[in-house]
Amino acid sequence: LSDTLVSDIDNKLIASILDPIGLSASSEITKFWTPAQRNELIVPLECYFLFNRLFWVGIGILIFMIGYKLFSFSAQPISIGKKKLIEKKYDIILHRLQLPKTHPAFNFSNSLNQFWSIVRFEAKLIFRSPMFIIIVLLGIFNVFTNIAGDTSMYGISTYPVTVKIIKAAAQTFSLFFIIIITFYTGELVWRERNHKINQIADALPIKNYTLMLSKFLAMLMVMIVLNLMIILTCIGIQVTSGYTNFELGISFKYLFLEGLPGYVFLIMFAFFIHALVNNKFLGHAIVILSYIINIAMVTNGFEHLLYLLGETPSFTLSDMNGFGHFMKAVHWYQLYWILIGLMLMLIAGQLWVRGTDFNLKSRLIIAKNRFTTQSKMVLTILLLLSLACGSFIYYNTTTLNSYLP
């Protein structure tokens, strides 16, 4: 708002006062300074800058006084007016407590009901989270502003065709996907421990994989909803531009078949990290560090996609050729990473924390006892399949051909 006002010479005082940080005011004072003065002198507390500081200090004091006036240590909600406390008299009636007879059932049907109950519960908590809503709205706003204003190519106006805007929208929203995956995967794993009910939850007759996979599916549902919102945002951009050839098939294929598997692997990887380190903030740090390592490896010339977490080959999407011949290579890499992700999820299930044994040594002993013959067989099959898939990719990209990143 201050940047808009400062463009008008008649509004410079108002713009300088309305900026709570004071950048507009300091810019007005120093706009004619030389580079040497900018490096050596301090912005003087005068004119626009003085008025700005006095105004916002006054606003701060006013807000503090209002908060001090309304603050109360009681459990009653804050109210401006005075309310009279109404005393109610209750008649105490004693009844003999009749407990219902229970019939425990530990069959597949009961596990499935538990699974879907946890999925619905966890998904609702994420969708109703204020932070999630803010991140999504920022992402949609970023997509809309970046794409709606970019309707030209080489100086020539173009139609907002689906093949152009769906890729731009997915790339623009990718950072918000990563933020949501990094933060909310940790929240899902640590939900019970954050609310100090982990020992109650751990005592319930729910299998480790039922608990973990239900949280994983809840996170997957979040990714699906976000992709649907990207499609709706792109449709909104097209409609506002008067373009109605939406080509939903291309949008769904691009987002769900080409983009979603990469995010699925990142979710699996984040679950594994949080189950392994058993520290929420350290888990967040390791997941973020893995993204940074990916970028650093590419920067330093290590560009083969077989060791860049979750990465797949780039491809060209065009109106003339669609997805072309690129998808075969993309799908092989997707299969490779999903197989590795399934192995990580299997190991995470063995390391899943139940009870009060939090140190790694005790958890490894428990995981060893949990590792049944069936689990070992599944892990071996996944390992062999991932090695076979990786060998096939390496043979085609390095032996038969010269690898080009």
Side-chain angles (χ1 to χ4, degrees):
L1 178 60
S2 62
D3 288 339
T4 304
L5 291 172
V6 81
S7 60
D8 188 351
I9 194 170
D10 297 327
N11 294 324
K12 291 188 182 297
L13 178 61
I14 299 174
S16 299
I17 292 175
L18 289 180
D19 182 6
I21 303 175
L23 293 178
S24 298
S26 62
S27 297
E28 282 299 312
I29 295 175
T30 61
K31 64 181 179 181
F32 297 117
W33 285 13
T34 64
Q37 288 175 314
R38 291 176 184 270
N39 289 333
E40 297 177 3
L41 300 180
I42 299 175
V43 179
L45 191 63
E46 61 183 26
C47 193
Y48 294 124
F49 197 54
L50 177 62
F51 296 149
N52 176 276
R53 294 299 87 190
L54 290 174
F55 177 76
W56 285 106
V57 167
I59 292 293
I61 293 172
L62 179 63
I63 292 173
F64 176 80
M65 292 176 65
I66 294 172
Y68 179 80
K69 184 70 175 176
L70 296 178
F71 181 78
S72 174
F73 284 103
S74 68
Q76 297 292 330
I78 295 175
S79 58
I80 304 300
K82 294 183 178 179
K83 292 185 178 180
K84 294 182 179 180
L85 295 176
I86 301 173
E87 294 184 2
K88 295 183 179 180
K89 295 182 178 180
Y90 298 95
D91 295 327
I92 300 175
I93 302 174
L94 299 177
H95 295 281
R96 178 185 285 274
L97 186 61
Q98 298 291 335
L99 295 176
K101 292 183 178 180
T102 60
H103 303 281
F106 303 102
N107 50 33
F108 176 76
S109 177
N110 190 43
S111 296
L112 194 61
N113 290 333
Q114 292 173 340
F115 177 82
W116 285 113
S117 295
I118 299 173
V119 169
R120 290 194 298 269
F121 175 76
E122 296 288 0
K124 284 180 181 178
L125 286 180
I126 295 176
F127 289 134
R128 293 175 181 177
S129 168
M131 183 177 176
F132 175 79
I133 295 171
I134 291 171
I135 292 173
V136 171
L137 291 178
L138 284 174
I140 292 174
F141 176 77
N142 198 28
V143 169
F144 200 93
T145 53
N146 285 351
I147 298 176
D150 184 21
T151 57
S152 63
M153 183 180 295
Y154 304 112
I156 301 173
S157 297
T158 61
Y159 288 114
V161 293
T162 301
V163 295
K164 177 184 177 183
I165 66 171
I166 196 64
K167 185 174 182 179
Q171 291 174 345
T172 304
F173 210 90
S174 60
L175 176 61
F176 298 94
F177 270 115
I178 292 173
I179 293 172
I180 290 170
I181 289 172
T182 303
F183 178 76
Y184 280 102
T185 301
E187 289 299 308
L188 286 173
V189 175
W190 283 83
R191 178 89 67 194
E192 292 80 10
R193 281 175 278 181
N194 284 343
H195 295 283
K196 308 298 182 183
I197 60 170
N198 53 302
Q199 293 189 36
I200 298 173
D202 292 342
L204 297 175
I206 303 175
K207 297 179 180 179
N208 283 357
Y209 284 110
T210 301
L211 191 61
M212 186 183 68
L213 292 178
S214 59
K215 293 175 180 286
F216 169 77
L217 184 58
M219 198 67 215
L220 187 58
M221 287 175 61
V222 172
M223 294 295 105
I224 292 172
V225 170
L226 290 177
N227 278 322
L228 292 174
M229 294 182 71
I230 291 176
I231 292 175
L232 291 176
T233 304
C234 290
I235 291 174
I237 294 171
Q238 290 175 317
V239 169
T240 54
S241 301
Y243 187 81
T244 56
N245 186 18
F246 301 134
E247 297 180 289
L248 294 178
I250 293 177
S251 298
F252 276 94
K253 184 176 181 181
Y254 186 88
L255 293 177
F256 289 96
L257 295 182
E258 314 310 331
L260 186 61
Y263 294 123
V264 171
F265 170 77
L266 292 180
I267 296 171
M268 293 175 172
F269 176 73
F271 265 96
F272 168 74
I273 292 298
H274 280 283
L276 177 65
V277 301
N278 197 36
N279 183 299
K280 185 171 75 169
F281 299 106
L282 180 60
H284 286 328
I286 293 175
V287 173
I288 294 170
L289 183 63
S290 69
Y291 304 143
I292 298 173
I293 290 173
N294 260 16
I295 298 171
M297 290 178 70
V298 173
T299 305
N300 288 279
F302 299 96
E303 300 177 317
H304 205 296
L305 301 178
L306 282 174
Y307 46 72
L308 295 177
L309 289 176
E311 294 294 329
T312 56
S314 59
F315 59 90
T316 302
L317 176 62
S318 69
D319 251 341
M320 295 180 62
N321 198 30
F323 290 91
H325 63 283
F326 303 100
M327 291 303 99
K328 187 176 180 180
V330 172
H331 292 158
W332 272 106
Y333 275 95
Q334 288 175 344
L335 177 61
Y336 170 73
W337 287 118
I338 291 296
L339 289 171
I340 293 177
L342 290 173
M343 283 196 299
L344 296 179
M345 288 291 285
L346 181 62
I347 298 171
Q350 309 300 325
L351 294 170
W352 197 263
V353 176
R354 299 290 289 265
T356 57
D357 291 322
F358 295 143
N359 65 79
L360 183 59
K361 184 177 179 180
S362 299
R363 290 169 55 229
L364 288 175
I365 294 172
I366 295 172
K368 185 179 178 180
N369 295 329
R370 289 174 179 170
F371 230 97
T372 62
T373 304
Q374 186 178 6
S375 299
K376 293 177 182 177
M377 186 180 299
V378 173
L379 183 61
T380 303
I381 293 172
L382 290 173
L383 178 61
L384 292 175
L385 287 175
S386 61
L387 287 174
C389 188
S391 300
F392 178 79
I393 293 172
Y394 183 82
Y395 177 73
N396 278 273
T397 56
T398 307
T399 305
L400 291 181
N401 303 281
S402 297
Y403 182 76
L404 294 175

